Coordinates of all heavy atoms in Angstrom, one line a residue:
M240 N 1.5 11.4 12.6 CA 2.3 10.5 11.8 C 3.6 10.2 12.6 O 4.2 11.2 13.1 CB 2.6 11.1 10.5 CG 3.5 10.3 9.6 SD 4.1 11.0 8.0 CE 3.0 12.2 7.6
T241 N 4.1 9.0 12.6 CA 5.3 8.7 13.3 C 6.5 9.1 12.5 O 6.5 9.1 11.2 CB 5.4 7.2 13.6 OG1 6.6 6.9 14.3 CG2 5.4 6.3 12.3
T242 N 7.5 9.6 13.1 CA 8.7 10.0 12.4 C 9.9 9.2 12.8 O 11.0 9.5 12.4 CB 9.0 11.5 12.7 OG1 9.2 11.6 14.1 CG2 7.9 12.4 12.2
Q243 N 9.7 8.0 13.4 CA 10.8 7.2 13.9 C 11.6 6.7 12.7 O 12.8 6.5 12.8 CB 10.3 6.0 14.7 CG 9.7 6.4 16.0 CD 9.1 5.3 16.7 OE1 8.8 4.2 16.2 NE2 8.8 5.4 18.0
W244 N 11.0 6.4 11.6 CA 11.7 5.8 10.5 C 12.1 6.9 9.4 O 12.8 6.6 8.5 CB 10.9 4.8 9.8 CG 9.5 5.2 9.4 CD1 8.4 5.3 10.1 CD2 9.1 5.8 8.1 NE1 7.3 5.8 9.4 CE2 7.7 6.1 8.1 CE3 9.8 6.0 6.9 CZ2 7.1 6.6 7.1 CZ3 9.1 6.5 5.8 CH2 7.8 6.8 5.9
K245 N 11.8 8.1 9.6 CA 12.1 9.2 8.7 C 13.6 9.6 8.9 O 14.0 9.9 10.0 CB 11.2 10.4 8.9 CG 9.8 10.2 8.4 CD 9.0 11.5 8.6 CE 8.0 11.7 7.6 NZ 7.4 13.0 7.7
D246 N 14.3 9.6 7.8 CA 15.6 10.1 7.8 C 16.0 10.5 6.3 O 15.1 10.5 5.4 CB 16.6 9.1 8.3 CG 16.7 7.8 7.5 OD1 16.3 7.8 6.4 OD2 17.1 6.8 8.1
S247 N 17.2 10.9 6.1 CA 17.6 11.4 4.7 C 17.4 10.3 3.7 O 17.1 10.6 2.5 CB 19.0 11.9 4.7 OG 19.9 10.9 5.0
L248 N 17.6 9.0 4.0 CA 17.5 7.9 3.1 C 16.0 7.7 2.7 O 15.7 7.5 1.6 CB 18.1 6.6 3.6 CG 19.6 6.7 3.7 CD1 20.2 5.4 4.3 CD2 20.3 7.0 2.4
T249 N 15.1 7.7 3.7 CA 13.7 7.5 3.4 C 13.1 8.8 2.7 O 12.3 8.6 1.9 CB 12.9 7.2 4.7 OG1 13.1 8.2 5.7 CG2 13.3 5.8 5.2
D250 N 13.7 9.9 3.0 CA 13.3 11.1 2.2 C 13.7 10.9 0.7 O 12.9 11.2 -0.1 CB 14.1 12.4 2.7 CG 13.5 12.9 4.1 OD1 12.5 12.5 4.5 OD2 14.2 13.8 4.6
Q251 N 14.9 10.4 0.5 CA 15.3 10.1 -0.9 C 14.4 9.1 -1.6 O 14.0 9.3 -2.7 CB 16.7 9.6 -0.8 CG 17.3 9.3 -2.2 CD 18.8 8.9 -2.1 OE1 19.7 9.7 -2.2 NE2 19.0 7.6 -1.9
L252 N 14.0 8.1 -0.8 CA 13.1 7.1 -1.4 C 11.7 7.7 -1.8 O 11.2 7.5 -2.9 CB 12.9 5.9 -0.4 CG 11.9 4.9 -0.9 CD1 12.3 4.2 -2.2 CD2 11.7 3.8 0.2
C253 N 11.2 8.5 -0.9 CA 9.9 9.2 -1.2 C 10.1 10.1 -2.4 O 9.2 10.2 -3.3 CB 9.4 10.0 0.0 SG 8.9 8.9 1.4
Q254 N 11.2 10.8 -2.5 CA 11.4 11.7 -3.7 C 11.5 10.9 -4.9 O 11.0 11.3 -6.0 CB 12.6 12.6 -3.5 CG 12.5 13.7 -2.5 CD 11.4 14.6 -2.8 OE1 11.2 15.0 -4.0 NE2 10.6 15.0 -1.9
A255 N 12.1 9.7 -4.8 CA 12.3 8.8 -6.0 C 10.9 8.4 -6.5 O 10.6 8.4 -7.7 CB 13.1 7.6 -5.7
L256 N 10.0 8.0 -5.5 CA 8.6 7.6 -5.9 C 7.9 8.7 -6.6 O 7.1 8.5 -7.5 CB 7.9 7.1 -4.6 CG 8.4 5.8 -4.0 CD1 7.7 5.6 -2.6 CD2 8.2 4.7 -4.9
L257 N 8.1 9.9 -6.1 CA 7.4 11.1 -6.7 C 7.9 11.4 -8.1 O 7.2 12.1 -8.9 CB 7.5 12.3 -5.8 CG 6.8 12.2 -4.5 CD1 7.1 13.4 -3.5 CD2 5.3 12.2 -4.7
C258 N 9.1 11.0 -8.4 CA 9.6 11.2 -9.8 C 9.0 10.3 -10.9 O 9.2 10.6 -12.0 CB 11.2 11.0 -9.8 SG 12.1 12.2 -8.8
L259 N 8.4 9.2 -10.5 CA 7.9 8.3 -11.4 C 6.7 8.9 -12.2 O 5.8 9.5 -11.6 CB 7.5 7.0 -10.7 CG 8.7 6.3 -10.0 CD1 8.3 5.1 -9.2 CD2 9.8 5.9 -11.0
K260 N 6.7 8.7 -13.5 CA 5.7 9.4 -14.3 C 4.5 8.5 -14.7 O 3.4 9.0 -15.0 CB 6.3 9.9 -15.6 CG 7.3 11.0 -15.3 CD 8.0 11.5 -16.5 CE 9.1 12.5 -16.2 NZ 10.0 12.7 -17.2
D261 N 4.7 7.2 -14.7 CA 3.6 6.3 -15.2 C 3.8 4.9 -14.6 O 4.8 4.6 -14.0 CB 3.5 6.3 -16.7 CG 4.8 5.8 -17.4 OD1 5.4 4.9 -16.9 OD2 5.1 6.4 -18.4
P262 N 2.8 4.0 -14.8 CA 2.9 2.7 -14.2 C 4.1 1.9 -14.7 O 4.8 1.2 -13.9 CB 1.6 2.0 -14.7 CG 0.6 3.1 -14.8 CD 1.5 4.2 -15.3
E263 N 4.5 2.1 -15.9 CA 5.7 1.3 -16.5 C 7.0 1.8 -15.7 O 7.8 0.9 -15.3 CB 5.9 1.6 -18.0 CG 7.0 0.7 -18.6 CD 6.8 -0.8 -18.3 OE1 5.7 -1.3 -18.3 OE2 7.8 -1.4 -18.1
E264 N 7.1 3.1 -15.5 CA 8.3 3.5 -14.7 C 8.2 3.0 -13.2 O 9.2 2.6 -12.7 CB 8.3 5.1 -14.6 CG 8.8 5.7 -16.0 CD 8.9 7.2 -15.9 OE1 8.8 7.8 -14.8 OE2 9.3 7.8 -16.9
A265 N 7.0 2.9 -12.7 CA 6.8 2.3 -11.3 C 7.3 0.9 -11.3 O 7.9 0.4 -10.4 CB 5.4 2.5 -10.9
Y266 N 6.8 0.1 -12.3 CA 7.2 -1.3 -12.5 C 8.8 -1.4 -12.5 O 9.4 -2.2 -11.8 CB 6.7 -2.0 -13.7 CG 5.3 -2.5 -13.5 CD1 4.2 -1.9 -14.1 CD2 5.1 -3.7 -12.7 CE1 2.9 -2.5 -14.0 CE2 3.8 -4.2 -12.6 CZ 2.7 -3.6 -13.2 OH 1.5 -4.1 -13.1
Q267 N 9.4 -0.6 -13.3 CA 10.8 -0.6 -13.5 C 11.5 -0.4 -12.1 O 12.5 -1.1 -11.8 CB 11.3 0.4 -14.5 CG 11.0 0.1 -15.9 CD 11.3 1.2 -16.8 OE1 10.8 2.3 -16.8 NE2 12.3 1.0 -17.7
F268 N 11.1 0.7 -11.4 CA 11.7 1.0 -10.2 C 11.5 -0.1 -9.1 O 12.4 -0.5 -8.5 CB 11.2 2.4 -9.7 CG 11.8 2.8 -8.4 CD1 13.1 3.2 -8.3 CD2 11.0 2.8 -7.2 CE1 13.7 3.6 -7.1 CE2 11.6 3.2 -6.0 CZ 12.9 3.6 -5.9
L269 N 10.2 -0.5 -9.0 CA 9.9 -1.6 -8.0 C 10.7 -2.8 -8.3 O 11.2 -3.5 -7.3 CB 8.4 -1.9 -8.0 CG 7.5 -0.9 -7.4 CD1 6.1 -1.2 -7.7 CD2 7.8 -0.7 -5.9
E270 N 10.9 -3.2 -9.5 CA 11.6 -4.4 -9.9 C 13.1 -4.3 -9.4 O 13.7 -5.3 -9.0 CB 11.6 -4.7 -11.4 CG 12.2 -6.0 -11.7 CD 11.9 -6.4 -13.2 OE1 10.9 -6.0 -13.8 OE2 12.8 -7.1 -13.7
D271 N 13.6 -3.1 -9.5 CA 15.0 -2.9 -9.1 C 15.2 -2.8 -7.6 O 16.2 -3.1 -7.0 CB 15.6 -1.7 -9.8 CG 15.9 -1.9 -11.2 OD1 15.9 -3.1 -11.7 OD2 16.2 -0.9 -11.9
V272 N 14.2 -2.2 -6.9 CA 14.4 -1.8 -5.5 C 13.8 -2.9 -4.5 O 14.2 -2.9 -3.3 CB 13.8 -0.4 -5.2 CG1 12.2 -0.5 -5.1 CG2 14.3 0.2 -4.0
A273 N 13.0 -3.8 -5.0 CA 12.3 -4.7 -4.1 C 12.3 -6.1 -4.7 O 12.4 -6.3 -5.9 CB 10.9 -4.3 -3.7
T274 N 12.1 -7.1 -3.8 CA 12.0 -8.5 -4.4 C 10.5 -8.6 -4.9 O 9.6 -7.9 -4.5 CB 12.2 -9.5 -3.3 OG1 11.1 -9.4 -2.3 CG2 13.6 -9.4 -2.6
I275 N 10.3 -9.6 -5.7 CA 9.0 -9.9 -6.2 C 8.0 -10.2 -5.0 O 6.9 -9.7 -5.0 CB 9.0 -11.1 -7.2 CG1 9.9 -10.8 -8.4 CG2 7.6 -11.5 -7.6 CD1 9.5 -9.6 -9.2
G276 N 8.5 -10.9 -4.0 CA 7.7 -11.2 -2.8 C 7.3 -9.9 -2.1 O 6.2 -9.8 -1.6
E277 N 8.2 -8.9 -2.0 CA 7.9 -7.7 -1.3 C 6.9 -6.9 -2.1 O 5.9 -6.3 -1.5 CB 9.2 -6.8 -1.1 CG 10.1 -7.4 -0.1 CD 11.5 -6.8 -0.1 OE1 12.0 -6.3 -1.2 OE2 12.2 -6.9 0.9
I278 N 7.1 -6.9 -3.4 CA 6.1 -6.1 -4.3 C 4.7 -6.7 -4.2 O 3.7 -6.0 -4.0 CB 6.6 -6.1 -5.7 CG1 7.9 -5.4 -5.9 CG2 5.5 -5.5 -6.7 CD1 8.7 -5.6 -7.2
R279 N 4.7 -8.1 -4.2 CA 3.4 -8.7 -4.1 C 2.7 -8.5 -2.7 O 1.5 -8.3 -2.6 CB 3.5 -10.2 -4.4 CG 3.8 -10.6 -5.8 CD 3.8 -12.1 -6.1 NE 4.3 -12.4 -7.4 CZ 3.6 -12.5 -8.5 NH1 2.3 -12.3 -8.4 NH2 4.1 -12.8 -9.6
A280 N 3.6 -8.4 -1.7 CA 3.0 -8.2 -0.3 C 2.4 -6.8 -0.3 O 1.3 -6.6 0.3 CB 4.1 -8.3 0.7
F281 N 3.1 -5.8 -0.8 CA 2.6 -4.4 -0.9 C 1.3 -4.4 -1.7 O 0.3 -3.7 -1.2 CB 3.5 -3.4 -1.6 CG 4.7 -3.0 -0.7 CD1 6.0 -2.8 -1.3 CD2 4.6 -2.8 0.6 CE1 7.1 -2.5 -0.5 CE2 5.7 -2.4 1.4 CZ 6.9 -2.3 0.8
A282 N 1.2 -5.0 -2.8 CA 0.0 -5.1 -3.7 C -1.1 -5.7 -2.9 O -2.3 -5.3 -3.0 CB 0.3 -5.8 -5.0
Q283 N -0.8 -6.8 -2.2 CA -1.9 -7.5 -1.5 C -2.4 -6.7 -0.4 O -3.6 -6.6 -0.2 CB -1.3 -8.8 -0.9 CG -2.3 -9.7 -0.1 CD -1.7 -10.8 0.6 OE1 -0.8 -10.7 1.5 NE2 -2.0 -12.1 0.2
R284 N -1.5 -6.0 0.4 CA -2.0 -5.1 1.4 C -2.9 -4.0 0.9 O -3.9 -3.6 1.5 CB -0.8 -4.5 2.2 CG -0.1 -5.5 3.0 CD 1.1 -4.9 3.8 NE 2.0 -6.0 4.1 CZ 3.3 -5.8 4.1 NH1 3.9 -4.7 3.8 NH2 4.1 -6.8 4.4
L285 N -2.5 -3.4 -0.2 CA -3.4 -2.4 -0.8 C -4.7 -2.9 -1.2 O -5.8 -2.3 -0.9 CB -2.7 -1.7 -2.0 CG -3.4 -0.6 -2.7 CD1 -3.7 0.5 -1.8 CD2 -2.6 -0.2 -3.9
E286 N -4.8 -4.1 -1.7 CA -6.1 -4.7 -2.1 C -6.9 -5.0 -0.9 O -8.1 -4.8 -0.8 CB -5.8 -6.0 -3.0 CG -7.1 -6.7 -3.4 CD -8.1 -5.9 -4.2 OE1 -7.8 -4.7 -4.6 OE2 -9.1 -6.4 -4.6
V287 N -6.2 -5.5 0.2 CA -6.9 -5.7 1.5 C -7.5 -4.4 2.0 O -8.7 -4.4 2.4 CB -6.0 -6.4 2.5 CG1 -6.6 -6.3 3.9 CG2 -5.6 -7.8 2.1
A288 N -6.8 -3.4 1.9 CA -7.3 -2.1 2.4 C -8.5 -1.6 1.5 O -9.5 -1.1 2.1 CB -6.2 -1.0 2.3
R289 N -8.4 -1.8 0.2 CA -9.5 -1.5 -0.7 C -10.8 -2.3 -0.3 O -11.9 -1.7 -0.2 CB -9.1 -1.7 -2.1 CG -10.2 -1.2 -3.1 CD -9.8 -1.6 -4.5 NE -10.0 -3.0 -4.8 CZ -11.2 -3.6 -4.9 NH1 -12.3 -2.9 -4.8 NH2 -11.3 -4.9 -5.1
L290 N -10.6 -3.6 -0.1 CA -11.7 -4.4 0.2 C -12.3 -4.1 1.6 O -13.5 -4.1 1.8 CB -11.3 -5.9 0.1 CG -11.0 -6.4 -1.3 CD1 -10.4 -7.8 -1.3 CD2 -12.2 -6.3 -2.2
L291 N -11.4 -3.8 2.6 CA -11.9 -3.4 3.9 C -12.7 -2.1 3.8 O -13.8 -2.0 4.4 CB -10.8 -3.3 4.9 CG -10.1 -4.5 5.4 CD1 -8.8 -4.2 6.1 CD2 -11.1 -5.2 6.4
S292 N -12.2 -1.2 3.0 CA -12.9 0.1 2.8 C -14.3 -0.1 2.1 O -15.2 0.7 2.4 CB -12.1 1.0 2.0 OG -10.9 1.4 2.8
A293 N -14.4 -1.2 1.3 CA -15.6 -1.5 0.6 C -16.6 -2.3 1.5 O -17.7 -2.6 1.0 CB -15.3 -2.2 -0.7
G294 N -16.2 -2.6 2.7 CA -17.1 -3.3 3.6 C -17.0 -4.8 3.6 O -17.9 -5.5 4.2
E295 N -16.0 -5.4 2.9 CA -15.9 -6.8 2.8 C -15.5 -7.4 4.2 O -14.9 -6.7 5.0 CB -14.9 -7.2 1.8 CG -15.2 -6.8 0.4 CD -16.2 -7.6 -0.3 OE1 -16.4 -8.8 0.0 OE2 -16.9 -7.1 -1.3
T296 N -15.9 -8.6 4.4 CA -15.5 -9.3 5.7 C -14.1 -9.9 5.6 O -13.6 -10.2 4.5 CB -16.6 -10.4 6.0 OG1 -16.5 -11.4 5.0 CG2 -18.0 -9.8 6.1
Y297 N -13.6 -10.3 6.7 CA -12.3 -10.9 6.8 C -12.3 -12.2 6.0 O -11.4 -12.4 5.2 CB -11.8 -11.2 8.2 CG -11.2 -10.0 9.0 CD1 -11.7 -8.7 8.8 CD2 -10.2 -10.3 9.9 CE1 -11.1 -7.7 9.5 CE2 -9.7 -9.2 10.6 CZ -10.1 -7.9 10.4 OH -9.6 -6.9 11.1
P298 N -13.3 -13.1 6.2 CA -13.3 -14.3 5.4 C -13.3 -14.1 3.8 O -12.7 -14.7 3.1 CB -14.5 -15.1 5.8 CG -14.8 -14.6 7.2 CD -14.3 -13.1 7.2
Q299 N -14.1 -13.1 3.4 CA -14.2 -12.8 2.0 C -12.9 -12.3 1.5 O -12.5 -12.6 0.4 CB -15.3 -11.7 1.8 CG -16.7 -12.2 2.0 CD -17.7 -11.0 2.1 OE1 -17.4 -9.9 2.6 NE2 -18.9 -11.2 1.5
I300 N -12.3 -11.4 2.3 CA -11.0 -10.8 1.9 C -9.9 -11.9 1.8 O -9.1 -12.0 0.9 CB -10.6 -9.7 2.8 CG1 -11.5 -8.5 2.7 CG2 -9.1 -9.2 2.5 CD1 -11.4 -7.5 3.7
A301 N -9.9 -12.8 2.8 CA -8.9 -13.9 2.8 C -9.0 -14.7 1.6 O -8.1 -15.1 0.9 CB -9.0 -14.7 4.1
K302 N -10.3 -15.0 1.2 CA -10.6 -15.9 0.1 C -10.1 -15.2 -1.2 O -9.5 -15.8 -2.1 CB -12.0 -16.3 0.0 CG -12.4 -17.2 -1.1 CD -13.9 -17.6 -1.0 CE -14.2 -18.6 -2.1 NZ -15.6 -19.0 -2.1
Q303 N -10.4 -13.9 -1.3 CA -10.2 -13.2 -2.6 C -8.7 -12.9 -2.8 O -8.2 -12.9 -3.9 CB -10.9 -11.9 -2.6 CG -12.4 -12.0 -2.8 CD -13.1 -10.7 -2.8 OE1 -12.7 -9.8 -3.5 NE2 -14.1 -10.5 -1.9
T304 N -8.0 -12.6 -1.7 CA -6.6 -12.2 -1.8 C -5.5 -13.2 -1.3 O -4.4 -13.0 -1.7 CB -6.4 -10.9 -0.9 OG1 -6.5 -11.3 0.5 CG2 -7.3 -9.8 -1.3
G305 N -6.0 -14.2 -0.6 CA -5.0 -15.1 0.0 C -4.3 -14.6 1.2 O -3.4 -15.2 1.7
A306 N -4.7 -13.4 1.7 CA -4.0 -12.8 2.8 C -4.4 -13.5 4.1 O -5.6 -14.0 4.2 CB -4.4 -11.3 2.9
S307 N -3.5 -13.6 5.0 CA -3.8 -14.2 6.3 C -4.7 -13.2 7.1 O -4.7 -12.0 6.9 CB -2.6 -14.5 7.1 OG -1.9 -13.3 7.5
T308 N -5.4 -13.8 8.1 CA -6.2 -12.9 9.0 C -5.3 -11.9 9.7 O -5.7 -10.8 10.1 CB -7.1 -13.7 10.0 OG1 -6.3 -14.6 10.7 CG2 -8.1 -14.5 9.2
A309 N -4.1 -12.3 10.0 CA -3.1 -11.4 10.7 C -2.8 -10.2 9.8 O -2.8 -9.1 10.3 CB -1.8 -12.2 11.1
T310 N -2.6 -10.5 8.5 CA -2.3 -9.4 7.6 C -3.6 -8.5 7.4 O -3.4 -7.2 7.5 CB -1.9 -9.9 6.2 OG1 -0.7 -10.6 6.3 CG2 -1.8 -8.8 5.1
I311 N -4.7 -9.1 7.3 CA -6.0 -8.3 7.2 C -6.1 -7.4 8.5 O -6.5 -6.2 8.4 CB -7.2 -9.2 7.0 CG1 -7.0 -10.0 5.7 CG2 -8.5 -8.4 7.0 CD1 -8.0 -11.1 5.5
S312 N -5.9 -8.0 9.6 CA -6.0 -7.3 10.9 C -5.0 -6.1 11.0 O -5.4 -5.0 11.4 CB -5.7 -8.3 12.0 OG -6.5 -8.0 13.1
R313 N -3.8 -6.4 10.5 CA -2.8 -5.3 10.5 C -3.2 -4.2 9.6 O -3.1 -3.0 10.0 CB -1.5 -5.9 10.1 CG -0.3 -5.0 10.3 CD 1.1 -5.6 10.0 NE 1.2 -7.0 10.5 CZ 1.3 -8.1 9.7 NH1 1.3 -8.0 8.4 NH2 1.4 -9.3 10.3
V314 N -3.7 -4.5 8.4 CA -4.1 -3.4 7.5 C -5.3 -2.7 8.1 O -5.4 -1.4 8.0 CB -4.5 -4.0 6.1 CG1 -5.1 -3.0 5.2 CG2 -3.2 -4.6 5.4
K315 N -6.2 -3.4 8.7 CA -7.4 -2.8 9.3 C -7.0 -1.8 10.4 O -7.5 -0.7 10.5 CB -8.3 -3.8 9.9 CG -9.5 -3.3 10.7 CD -10.6 -2.8 9.9 CE -11.8 -2.5 10.7 NZ -12.5 -1.3 10.3
K316 N -6.0 -2.2 11.2 CA -5.4 -1.3 12.3 C -4.9 0.0 11.7 O -5.2 1.1 12.2 CB -4.3 -2.0 13.0 CG -3.7 -1.2 14.1 CD -2.6 -2.0 14.8 CE -1.3 -1.2 14.7 NZ -0.1 -1.9 15.2
F317 N -4.2 -0.1 10.5 CA -3.6 1.1 9.9 C -4.7 1.9 9.3 O -4.6 3.1 9.2 CB -2.5 0.7 8.9 CG -1.2 0.4 9.7 CD1 -0.8 -0.9 9.7 CD2 -0.5 1.3 10.3 CE1 0.4 -1.3 10.3 CE2 0.7 1.0 11.0 CZ 1.1 -0.3 11.0
L318 N -5.7 1.3 8.7 CA -6.9 2.0 8.2 C -7.5 2.8 9.3 O -7.9 4.0 9.1 CB -7.9 1.1 7.5 CG -7.6 0.7 6.1 CD1 -8.6 -0.4 5.7 CD2 -7.7 1.9 5.2
D319 N -7.7 2.2 10.5 CA -8.4 2.9 11.6 C -7.5 3.9 12.4 O -8.0 4.9 12.8 CB -8.9 1.8 12.5 CG -10.1 1.0 11.9 OD1 -10.6 1.5 10.9 OD2 -10.3 -0.1 12.5
Y320 N -6.2 3.5 12.5 CA -5.4 4.3 13.5 C -4.1 4.8 12.9 O -3.2 5.3 13.6 CB -5.1 3.5 14.7 CG -6.3 3.0 15.4 CD1 -6.6 1.6 15.4 CD2 -7.2 3.8 16.1 CE1 -7.8 1.1 16.0 CE2 -8.3 3.3 16.7 CZ -8.6 2.0 16.6 OH -9.8 1.5 17.2
G321 N -3.9 4.5 11.6 CA -2.6 4.9 11.0 C -2.5 6.3 10.5 O -3.3 7.2 11.0
A322 N -1.6 6.6 9.6 CA -1.3 7.9 9.1 C -2.2 8.3 8.0 O -2.0 9.4 7.4 CB 0.2 8.0 8.7
D323 N -3.2 7.5 7.7 CA -4.2 7.8 6.6 C -3.6 7.7 5.2 O -4.2 8.1 4.2 CB -4.9 9.1 6.8 CG -5.9 9.1 8.0 OD1 -6.3 8.1 8.3 OD2 -6.1 10.2 8.5
G324 N -2.5 7.0 5.1 CA -1.9 6.8 3.8 C -2.7 5.9 2.9 O -2.9 6.2 1.7
Y325 N -3.3 4.8 3.4 CA -4.2 4.0 2.6 C -5.4 4.8 2.1 O -5.7 4.7 1.0 CB -4.7 2.8 3.4 CG -3.7 1.6 3.6 CD1 -3.4 1.1 4.8 CD2 -3.3 0.9 2.5 CE1 -2.5 0.0 5.0 CE2 -2.4 -0.2 2.6 CZ -2.1 -0.6 3.8 OH -1.2 -1.7 4.0
K326 N -6.0 5.5 3.1 CA -7.2 6.3 2.7 C -6.9 7.3 1.6 O -7.7 7.4 0.7 CB -7.7 7.0 3.9 CG -8.3 6.0 4.9 CD -8.8 6.8 6.2 CE -9.3 5.8 7.2 NZ -9.6 6.4 8.5
L327 N -5.8 8.0 1.7 CA -5.4 9.0 0.7 C -5.2 8.3 -0.6 O -5.8 8.8 -1.6 CB -4.1 9.6 1.2 CG -3.5 10.7 0.2 CD1 -4.4 11.9 0.1 CD2 -2.1 11.0 0.7
V328 N -4.5 7.2 -0.7 CA -4.2 6.6 -2.0 C -5.5 6.0 -2.6 O -5.8 6.2 -3.7 CB -3.2 5.5 -1.8 CG1 -3.1 4.5 -3.0 CG2 -1.8 6.1 -1.6
L329 N -6.3 5.4 -1.7 CA -7.6 4.8 -2.2 C -8.5 5.9 -2.7 O -9.2 5.7 -3.8 CB -8.3 3.9 -1.1 CG -7.5 2.7 -0.7 CD1 -8.1 2.0 0.5 CD2 -7.4 1.7 -1.9
E330 N -8.6 7.0 -2.1 CA -9.5 8.1 -2.6 C -9.0 8.6 -3.9 O -9.8 8.8 -4.8 CB -9.5 9.2 -1.5 CG -10.3 9.0 -0.3 CD -10.3 10.1 0.7 OE1 -9.9 11.3 0.3 OE2 -10.6 9.9 1.8
R331 N -7.7 8.8 -4.0 CA -7.1 9.3 -5.3 C -7.3 8.3 -6.4 O -7.5 8.7 -7.6 CB -5.7 9.7 -5.1 CG -5.6 10.9 -4.3 CD -4.2 11.5 -4.2 NE -4.2 12.7 -3.4 CZ -3.1 13.3 -2.9 NH1 -1.9 12.8 -3.2 NH2 -3.2 14.3 -2.1
M332 N -7.2 7.0 -6.1 CA -7.3 6.0 -7.1 C -8.8 5.9 -7.6 O -9.0 5.7 -8.8 CB -6.9 4.6 -6.6 CG -5.4 4.5 -6.4 SD -4.8 3.0 -5.7 CE -5.2 1.8 -7.0
K333 N -9.7 6.2 -6.7 CA -11.2 6.2 -7.1 C -11.4 7.3 -8.0 O -12.2 7.2 -9.0 CB -12.0 6.4 -5.8 CG -12.4 5.1 -5.1 CD -13.4 5.5 -4.0 CE -13.6 4.3 -3.1 NZ -14.5 4.7 -2.0
K334 N -10.8 8.5 -7.8 CA -11.0 9.6 -8.7 C -10.4 9.4 -10.1 O -10.9 10.0 -11.0 CB -10.3 10.9 -8.0 CG -11.1 11.4 -6.8 CD -10.4 12.6 -6.2 CE -11.1 13.0 -4.9 NZ -10.4 14.1 -4.2
Q335 N -9.4 8.5 -10.2 CA -8.8 8.2 -11.5 C -9.7 7.3 -12.3 O -9.6 7.3 -13.5 CB -7.5 7.6 -11.3 CG -6.4 8.5 -10.8 CD -5.1 7.8 -10.6 OE1 -5.0 6.6 -10.6 NE2 -4.0 8.6 -10.4
D336 N -10.6 6.6 -11.7 CA -11.5 5.7 -12.4 C -12.5 6.4 -13.2 O -12.9 7.4 -13.1 CB -12.2 4.7 -11.4 CG -11.2 3.7 -10.8 OD1 -10.1 3.5 -11.4 OD2 -11.5 3.1 -9.8

């Protein structure tokens, strides 16, 4: 995992995320900390990761999510070579279903 962006402020942000107790609290925090566009971009990337993990093709994912092939490619790169954050979240979300 890269540590180039880790510092006391990002530590604080991660701790803030861990304090949230339910989806409503997450909505409240996200609305205050990010723009609607940023929130939608995060949500779109997570859905792209889910669809890639499910074996969907780039054209299928682009059609379903509206994501560009550049975004899909970037998410794929992180799924394959990243810090496994997407994989961790997707696995835990599956267990909640």
Side-chain angles (χ1 to χ4, degrees):
M240 175 185 343
T241 183
T242 57
Q243 294 173 343
W244 56 273
K245 284 181 151 188
D246 60 21
S247 62
L248 294 178
T249 56
D250 286 348
Q251 180 178 268
L252 176 61
C253 289
Q254 287 301 317
L256 292 170
L257 292 171
C258 289
L259 301 171
K260 296 178 183 159
D261 57 41
E263 187 55 39
E264 287 186 2
Y266 274 110
Q267 289 175 292
F268 181 69
L269 286 171
E270 188 171 333
D271 287 349
V272 77
T274 67
I275 300 302
E277 290 167 334
I278 296 166
R279 289 185 189 271
F281 285 144
Q283 182 186 63
R284 290 180 201 144
L285 181 58
E286 179 63 0
V287 167
R289 188 187 70 76
L290 293 170
L291 283 167
S292 294
E295 299 283 335
T296 66
Y297 280 35
Q299 291 169 324
I300 294 169
K302 184 176 180 181
Q303 289 179 53
T304 65
S307 68
T308 54
T310 296
I311 297 167
S312 214
R313 191 175 317 116
V314 171
K315 175 76 170 141
K316 179 181 122 186
F317 284 110
L318 275 172
D319 292 342
Y320 307 109
D323 290 336
Y325 279 124
K326 290 176 186 174
L327 177 68
V328 166
L329 292 171
E330 283 176 21
R331 289 189 180 164
M332 289 175 73
K333 274 185 191 176
K334 289 178 183 177
Q335 290 178 344
D336 291 341

